[in-house]
Amino acid sequence: MSSSRIPVLAVVAAGGALGSLARWGLAVALPHSGPGWPWSTLIVNLTGSLLLGVLIVVVDRRPAHRLLYPFLGVGVLGGWTTFSTMMADVAGLVAAQAVARAGAYLLVSLVGGLLATGFGIVLTRRLLGPR
């Protein structure tokens, strides 16, 4: 491995640890089981999508340290959001015979994530003004 990659890997790992710990904290604060709606996973995925949209515009508009995006975008937001837990939640809902809720949750998660990212981009562009 090239020594120039070590700082990038270090900030991704540090950011991922922070994001994952924050997600775990929210999951503890908003637990769910069986047929219950997985609020904590939905909240982290939607807020992570929104913040990724914001970050995309900020990094594009403002010169930043080369490690900022790997730390925040890949690390923190990558650790904060969780596609695998979303799919485990869907499987849990199906196993609890809440198939309609599983489908609704999947749809809200995927469409909501796309809309949240778009909203973050549009909002940040408006707040920062023209280039």
Side-chain angles (χ1 to χ4, degrees):
M1 174 188 328
S2 166
S3 63
S4 65
R5 293 184 181 176
I6 292 173
V8 174
L9 293 173
V11 298
V12 168
L18 292 173
S20 297
L21 286 171
R23 175 172 36 93
W24 172 79
L26 186 62
V28 169
L30 297 173
H32 77 279
S33 62
W37 190 269
W39 284 108
S40 62
T41 308
L42 182 65
I43 289 168
V44 299
N45 285 337
L46 294 181
T47 58
S49 296
L50 174 77
L51 291 172
L52 187 58
V54 170
L55 184 62
I56 288 168
V57 175
V58 169
V59 168
D60 182 54
R61 296 267 183 106
R62 307 252 193 255
H65 192 278
R66 72 179 185 90
L67 298 176
L68 179 69
Y69 185 81
F71 175 73
L72 292 175
V74 179
V76 174
L77 293 178
W80 175 247
T81 58
T82 174
F83 188 80
S84 59
T85 301
M86 179 189 74
M87 295 312 296
D89 291 340
V90 169
L93 289 168
V94 170
Q97 298 181 352
V99 176
R101 185 171 295 147
Y105 171 66
L106 186 59
L107 183 67
V108 168
S109 295
L110 296 176
V111 173
L114 290 171
L115 291 173
T117 303
F119 180 72
I121 290 170
V122 169
L123 177 67
T124 307
R125 284 179 179 164
R126 287 191 182 178
L127 289 174
L128 293 181
R131 283 185 167 221

